[in-house]
């Protein structure tokens, strides 16, 4: 393709891109420039929770684009105010800071945690405990916070102030708490780390640990928030709210936005001039986000996520009973991981050739994050393709 040739010349190769040149999308389908259609169970890596080009999100963007695209945060922005109000009414939070991505939201959360702790306890209480296999972004600070060595390769030295413990190991976390620790930051379900779901009671125990030592609890819900797990926020499954929560990805149904949510007392720590974002919370993206979030809560999307999540899990477990190289199926709602005993890359490629888009994380975990509007028929289609691919796997783990 001439597009791929141009990309090879002018676009930095920071992604191992597949030979697809995307042109348009609708619902759970994606079309390339050559007219091939794909069933999209990656959904922009959990961004397109309402599918591609949801009519309500598109309408909100079109209407706002003709009125006001951008306005400085030196002034009040009605769409930003409405979105902040909606998020607070539907979560634990009282106040919201808007930015453009999950990494920026996590940066804001860590800055807030450090500033709060410094003002309350002094300058030496700045460390943040995070989990091994976590993923919090691609900036220097967020790769320092991330518990995966592969994202840090070539960028040392890391920033000081981060300690990592195994995800789900409460005793290891307790042993890591010192007078220098100010916060614990966790993904309620690890996405990039392999769709790792903690045992019941873990988040409550971490909350209790934070309360015991007066630490802030930060949830990174960038991938698992906005309805992905079948509730609006993943923390709702165990009814264990944080002090700070970060969002991005699906918040606006496609356009880039990030948000840090927190309580009034913590929000007061970041006064004028302490933090900012030129594009954060601009009118265009906030109009889209308000439409997206209202659709998720008002149009039965969460019910569909739970129902279809159970159905997809069951169908993948059926495949597990058929193929010995499938080790485990795990997840919640419509973020589901299939751990294999073989490398997952060849299956991803073979599925793509048959018209199904999924991806593989940490080498051997196939990740399924279809739009929350996915139908039973579309799940059947995806599982049929996956079954066909798996039937070709030879003893060396290669897809035929």
């Amino acid at each position: 393709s001439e597009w791929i040739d141009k990309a090879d010349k002018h676009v930095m190769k920071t992604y191992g891109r597949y030979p697809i040149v995307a042109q348009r999308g609708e619902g759970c389908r994606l079309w390339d420039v050559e007219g091939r259609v794909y069933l999209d169970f990656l959904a922009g890596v959990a961004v397109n929770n309402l599918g591609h080009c949801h009519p309500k999100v598109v309408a909100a963007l079109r209407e706002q684009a003709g009125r006001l695209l951008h306005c400085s945060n030196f002034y009040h922005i009605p769409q930003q105010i409405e979105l902040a109000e909606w998020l607070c009414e539907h979560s634990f939070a009282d106040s919201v800071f808007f930015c453009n991505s999950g990494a920026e939201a996590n940066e804001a959360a860590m800055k807030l945690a450090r500033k709060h702790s410094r003002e309350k306890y002094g300058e030496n209480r700045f460390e943040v405990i995070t989990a091994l296999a976590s993923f919090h972004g691609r900036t220097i600070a967020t790769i320092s916070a991330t518990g995966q060595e592969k994202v840090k390769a070539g960028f040392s030295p890391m920033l000081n102030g981060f300690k990592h413990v195994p995800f789900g190991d409460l005793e290891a976390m307790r042993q890591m708490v010192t007078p220098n620790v100010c916060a614990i930051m966790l993904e309620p379900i690890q996405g990039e780390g392999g769709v790792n779901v903690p045992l019941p009671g873990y988040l409550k125990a971490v909350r209790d640990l934070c309360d015991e030592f007066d630490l802030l609890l930060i949830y990174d819900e960038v991938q698992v928030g906005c309805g992905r797990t079948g509730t609006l926020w993943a923390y709702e499954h165990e009814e264990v709210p944080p002090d700070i929560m970060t969002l991005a990805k699906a918040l606006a149904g496609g356009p880039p936005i990030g948000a840090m949510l927190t309580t009034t007392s913590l929000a007061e720590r970041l006064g004028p001039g302490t933090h900012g974002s030129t594009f954060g919370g601009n009118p265009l993206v906030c109009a889209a986000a308000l439409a997206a979030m209202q659709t998720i809560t008002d149009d039965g999307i969460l019910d569909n996520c739970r129902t279809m999540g159970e159905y997809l899990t069951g169908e993948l477990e059926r495949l597990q009973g058929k193929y010995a190289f499938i080790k485990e199926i795990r997840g919640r709602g419509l973020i589901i991981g299939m751990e294999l005993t073989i490398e997952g890359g060849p299956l991803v490629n073979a599925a793509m050739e048959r018209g199904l888009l999924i991806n593989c994380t940490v080498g051997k975990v196939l990740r399924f994050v279809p739009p929350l509007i996915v139908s039973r028929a579309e799940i059947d289609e995806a599982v049929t393709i996956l079954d066909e691919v798996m039937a070709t796997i030879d003893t060396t783990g290669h897809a035929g």
Side-chain angles (χ1 to χ4, degrees):
S1 168
E2 61 179 291
W3 288 107
I4 295 176
D5 291 340
K6 290 180 180 180
D8 285 341
K9 291 181 180 178
H10 302 297
V11 179
M12 290 185 69
K13 297 175 177 61
T14 55
Y15 295 89
R17 299 180 193 267
Y18 296 102
I20 293 176
V21 182
Q23 184 177 55
R24 70 181 182 94
E26 180 179 343
C28 296
R29 307 282 173 175
L30 185 70
W31 282 262
D32 69 12
V33 292
E34 297 179 1
R36 290 187 296 251
V37 60
Y38 301 88
L39 184 57
D40 189 356
F41 270 44
L42 183 57
V45 194
V47 168
N48 300 314
N49 278 12
L50 292 173
H52 293 282
C53 298
H54 191 281
K56 291 186 177 180
V57 175
V58 171
L61 285 167
R62 284 174 171 161
E63 181 181 355
Q64 187 59 43
R67 184 180 299 148
L68 183 65
L69 289 173
H70 177 74
C71 178
S72 169
N73 277 301
F74 291 155
Y75 316 113
H76 293 290
I77 301 171
Q79 296 76 18
Q80 183 184 115
I81 295 167
E82 289 178 351
L83 177 58
E85 181 181 40
W86 191 96
L87 289 171
C88 291
E89 288 176 350
H90 289 81
S91 73
F92 75 97
D94 306 309
S95 189
V96 184
F97 170 80
F98 290 107
C99 50
N100 309 288
S101 67
E104 291 173 79
N106 286 332
E107 289 266 2
M110 292 184 291
K111 286 180 69 173
L112 174 56
R114 282 189 170 188
K115 193 166 189 297
H116 164 75
S117 192
R118 183 186 183 93
E119 292 178 359
K120 188 173 182 179
Y121 290 102
E123 63 182 19
N124 291 324
R125 187 177 161 109
F126 62 90
E127 293 180 340
V128 178
I129 298 173
T130 69
L132 292 172
S134 62
F135 182 83
H136 298 294
R138 294 284 188 176
T139 66
I140 290 293
T142 53
I143 66 172
S144 299
T146 292
Q148 298 187 52
E149 290 303 316
K150 67 180 182 180
V151 306
K152 305 178 184 186
F155 301 110
S156 60
M158 294 294 103
L159 296 185
N160 185 30
F162 298 97
K163 302 193 289 189
H164 310 293
V165 300
F167 188 58
D169 189 336
L170 185 68
E171 186 55 36
M173 183 171 287
R174 176 175 285 276
Q175 292 178 5
M176 198 67 75
V177 175
T178 70
N180 294 332
V181 173
C182 68
I184 295 172
M185 181 163 68
L186 295 172
E187 301 157 272
I189 296 175
Q190 292 185 331
E192 299 296 325
V195 191
N196 301 315
V197 183
L199 292 174
Y202 174 66
L203 294 182
K204 175 63 165 61
V206 174
R207 173 77 272 178
D208 291 343
L209 185 66
C210 288
D211 294 342
E212 179 181 350
F213 291 97
D214 196 22
L215 311 176
L216 297 182
L217 178 57
I218 304 169
Y219 286 155
D220 176 343
E221 293 221 14
V222 169
Q223 185 164 155
V224 297
C226 304
R228 174 54 58 184
T229 65
T231 55
L232 198 54
W233 319 119
Y235 75 77
E236 293 181 292
H237 288 280
E238 296 198 35
E239 299 181 348
V240 183
D243 300 296
I244 304 170
M245 178 171 70
T246 59
L247 304 173
K249 285 192 179 289
L251 183 54
I257 185 173
M260 177 189 68
L261 284 63
T262 191
T263 60
T264 298
S265 60
L266 287 174
E268 290 173 351
R269 298 288 190 185
L270 292 182
T274 59
H275 198 48
S277 171
T278 297
F279 293 105
N282 72 40
L284 185 68
V285 72
C286 284
L290 192 59
M293 296 310 297
Q294 288 175 335
T295 300
I296 286 174
T297 55
D298 298 347
D299 288 13
I301 304 298
L302 294 176
D303 287 339
N304 191 70
C305 177
R306 290 189 290 268
T307 302
M308 292 300 101
E310 290 177 5
Y311 182 65
L312 177 54
T313 297
E315 289 299 288
L316 295 178
E317 288 174 344
R318 182 176 61 80
L319 293 182
Q320 183 182 11
K322 188 174 179 180
Y323 298 105
F325 53 78
I326 301 177
K327 181 178 179 181
E328 183 182 15
I329 309 297
R330 55 180 180 259
R332 182 171 285 157
L334 282 170
I335 177 169
I336 302 170
M338 173 186 278
E339 185 173 355
L340 310 173
T341 60
I342 60 176
E343 292 296 316
L347 281 83
V348 172
N349 291 328
M352 179 187 67
E353 292 172 0
R354 289 167 169 80
L356 172 65
L357 302 181
I358 56 175
N359 87 317
C360 180
T361 186
V362 295
K364 295 183 179 180
V365 179
L366 300 183
R367 177 172 46 177
F368 302 86
V369 282
L372 309 188
I373 61 170
V374 69
S375 67
R376 185 179 296 259
E378 288 164 332
I379 289 174
D380 288 342
E381 182 181 348
V383 172
T384 297
I385 292 172
L386 199 60
D387 193 1
E388 292 173 352
V389 168
M390 290 180 168
T392 71
I393 299 296
D394 62 26
T395 55
T396 65
H398 291 94

